[in-house]
Amino acid sequence: MDTIFLSGYAKLPDNTTAQKLYNHLVLVVTVHTPDGIILDADCTMATELGRRFIREILTGYDLHQGPEPLVEALNRRYYGHLRKALQTCFKGICAQYGEFLRTTGGLPR
């Protein structure tokens, strides 16, 4: 299968459980390169429920759409303290995917 691994990072807000465990939020995804679809996702949120919720939002997303629809979905559905950090991670992953397309023509190396 043609897949790549991308990651996004963001500083966590102070006084959150995740910040007590980690200094940064790390969001990682695997992407099917022929069509830019996110196959799976994981992050360093403190709870399994939070990680599953973010996985649900991301899985199946087409990165060709850019970060805006992801940010909108997050704003509609997520009311936790990590919203801005997650938005930063989403934008970072989309930027990495854009760089992948520019440097490889969309083909895994």
Side-chain angles (χ1 to χ4, degrees):
M1 181 183 261
D2 297 324
T3 60
I4 58 172
F5 181 91
L6 303 173
S7 59
Y9 299 88
K11 186 175 182 328
L12 286 164
D14 291 335
N15 299 319
T16 61
T17 303
Q19 193 269 335
K20 302 292 184 210
L21 297 170
Y22 313 104
N23 288 324
H24 290 84
L25 176 65
V26 179
L27 177 64
V28 294
V29 298
T30 55
V31 179
H32 186 240
T33 55
D35 54 19
I37 301 296
I38 295 176
L39 300 174
D40 201 3
D42 199 3
C43 64
T44 56
M45 292 180 80
T47 65
E48 178 61 30
L49 180 60
R51 292 188 298 274
R52 280 195 321 258
F53 187 78
I54 297 306
R55 180 178 294 124
E56 178 185 310
I57 289 174
L58 289 169
T59 301
Y61 184 75
D62 179 356
L63 287 172
H64 293 109
Q65 296 180 64
E68 292 80 16
L70 275 177
V71 169
E72 289 174 19
L74 186 74
N75 289 341
R76 280 192 317 273
R77 299 178 62 195
Y78 181 85
Y79 291 88
H81 296 288
L82 305 184
R83 183 187 284 185
K84 288 190 185 286
L86 286 162
Q87 291 171 353
T88 299
C89 289
F90 290 173
K91 291 173 184 177
I93 285 171
C94 287
Q96 278 190 340
Y97 184 67
E99 182 63 21
F100 164 76
L101 292 177
R102 282 187 293 282
T103 59
T104 68
L107 303 173
R109 295 181 238 190

